[in-house]
Structure formats: structure tokens, C-alpha cells
């Protein structure tokens, strides 16, 4: 079983739709969790960190479920510019030197 | 936010030549930098972890004599692909951590094409 798994998609949604991605991780001792966004042939950019209490940034909401070992990302009112690959990243320790990347989920927002 | 500069953005070279890629943290000190490669439609694969002043730690399957990493200062790490071959063609990305050791900041990547 891979350490971090994501549905590769693609998710094709109309503008204005709400879309949710899940990411599961296998190591119960994982310490930190992030969502990154990557545009084609560009570097990943941090979208948001994910905390146990859940966090929201505008149209984006991230949740962490430690018991079930998954994190989620919800995007409301999708924009065309949201089209990208969303990478789930899990930090395996507190020293910050052991990050594992999920394979990414591709999102296409259609006009 | 923290800025990581990666240079060059694109390299086209002949088989057998060596290519050096630079990664700089512009506004913070990065004690640790990471080097990844990414094939089309795949996620990032960690190649090595580079700590300032010490030898890099390579992931399993990554040849350390093929991919030379130097992290001579707190703001600069370099990756040299020695005797590049077509199968080394890939997108190479570096990242660096800020002081909190929590978040990663990425360089803009280098697209290497070996003919």
C-alpha cells in the first residue's frame, strides 16, 4: 500500500460547482499535512496546511481525520483558474525532513 | 512569503554532458534543501535531502555519483547531473524549508532535455 494515496481524477466540474478531494495516508504517526497546488510544468505552491480542527481559506476548506487517516479539500464556487493538480503532502516526523507526496488529483473546471 | 530561486529553467544538452542546476533561498536561510524529479503526469519523487555542510542523503535507487549534490551554504544547493543521458530527461525541482521546519517552498523547476 502506498504511503499517500489520492484519486488521480480527472475531476471535470462546471464553473460554480463544489468539489471535494480526499487523500489517505498509511502512517498513523504522521505529523503534518498540507495541500499543494501544481499547474502544468510549474512548481507546487502551498495552498494550505491542514489542522486537526479544520481550516478554511476563502473558498477552500481542509479537514483532517486522524482516526480514519485521511485529509480532505473542499473547493466551493469553482473558478476556471482552479484547474490544476492538487497534491496531498504528509510530513512523517516533527523534524520536517520526511515529506511524502501523493500522486495528485487533477481538476478541470469547465466554462 | 519565502522565495526559492532555481536556475536554469530549461536545459537542452547532448548526451554525455554534465548539467548543473542551482537552487537558492533568497530571503531566508535554508538548512535543508530537497531535490525532486517529476516525470510527465506523475507526482514528485524525492531524490535526495541536502543539509548544509554535510553530505546529501539519497533515496533508494538514486545514484549519488550520477546526481551530485552540493550544499555549501545556507542559501545555495546545486544538483549536477553527470554524463546525462536521454533517460535523465525530466523536470527537476528543488525545495527548501524555512526556520519552522514545517513548510516547503519550491523553486520554479528545471526542464532537462537530453538529446
Amino acid at each position: 500500500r502506498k504511503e499517500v494515496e489520492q484519486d488521480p481524477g480527472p475531476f471535470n466540474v462546471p464553473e460554480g460547482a463544489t468539489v471535494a478531494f480526499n487523500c489517505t495516508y498509511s502512517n498513523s504517526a504522521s505529523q503534518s499535512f498540507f495541500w499543494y497546488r501544481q499547474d502544468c510544468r510549474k512548481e507546487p505552491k502551498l495552498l494550505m496546511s491542514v489542522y486537526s480542527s479544520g481550516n478554511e481559506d476563502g473558498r477552500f476548506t481542509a479537514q483532517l481525520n486522524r482516526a480514519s487517516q485521511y485529509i480532505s479539500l473542499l473547493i466551493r464556487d469553482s473558478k476556471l483558474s482552479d484547474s490544476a493538480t492538487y497534491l496531498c503532502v504528509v510530513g512523517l516526523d516533527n523534524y520536517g525532513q520526511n515529506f511524502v507526496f501523493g500522486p495528485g488529483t487533477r481538476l478541470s473546471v469547465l466554462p | 512569503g519565502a522565495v526559492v530561486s532555481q536556475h536554469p529553467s530549461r536545459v537542452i544538452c547532448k548526451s554525455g554532458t554534465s548539467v548543473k542546476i542551482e537552487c537558492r533561498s533568497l530571503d531566508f536561510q535554508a538548512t535543508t534543501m530537497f531535490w525532486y524529479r517529476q516525470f510527465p503526469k506523475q507526482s514528485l519523487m524525492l531524490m535526495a535531502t541536502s543539509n548544509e555542510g554535510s553530505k546529501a542523503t539519497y533515496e533508494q535507487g538514486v545514484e549519488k555519483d550520477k546526481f551530485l549534490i552540493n550544499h555549501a551554504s545556507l542559501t545555495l544547493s546545486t544538483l549536477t547531473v553527470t554524463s546525462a543521458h536521454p533517460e535523465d530527461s525530466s523536470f527537476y525541482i528543488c525545495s527548501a524549508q524555512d526556520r519552522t521546519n514545517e513548510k516547503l517552498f519550491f523553486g520554479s523547476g528545471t526542464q532537462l532535455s537530453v538529446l
Side-chain angles (χ1 to χ4, degrees), chain B residues 6-7 10 17 20 28 32 34-35 40-41 47 56 65 73-74 83 86 89-90 92 96 99-101 106 108:
Chain B
Q6 185 172 343
H7 176 80
R10 186 173 181 86
T17 59
K20 179 185 281 189
F28 67 101
T32 304
F34 305 89
W35 287 96
K41 298 185 179 180
M47 298 175 66
D65 295 329
S73 75
L74 286 172
S83 187
S89 299
S90 185
Y92 293 86
R99 288 182 181 275
T100 66
N101 268 357
F106 288 85
S108 54

Side-chain angles (χ1 to χ4, degrees), chain A residues 2-40:
Chain A
K2 294 182 180 178
E3 291 190 74
V4 179
E5 296 193 64
Q6 295 180 253
D7 182 340
F11 284 60
N12 297 315
V13 302
E15 234 179 326
T18 295
V19 61
F21 308 135
N22 278 340
C23 165
T24 59
Y25 59 95
S26 61
N27 190 330
S28 59
S30 298
Q31 299 292 329
S32 55
F33 310 88
F34 310 90
W35 283 104
Y36 278 78
R37 170 204 168 119
Q38 185 177 26
D39 294 293
C40 188

Side-chain angles (χ1 to χ4, degrees), chain B residues 47-58:
Chain B
M47 298 175 66
T49 301
S50 167
N51 292 297
E52 186 265 338
S54 62
K55 291 183 178 180
T57 302
Y58 289 81

Side-chain angles (χ1 to χ4, degrees), chain A residues 70-92:
Chain A
Y70 76 83
I71 67 173
S72 64
L73 177 68
L74 181 77
I75 305 175
R76 291 180 298 277
D77 188 23
S78 300
K79 310 292 184 190
L80 296 177
S81 56
D82 293 334
S83 297
T85 295
Y86 290 83
L87 301 172
C88 168
V89 182
V90 175
L92 300 185

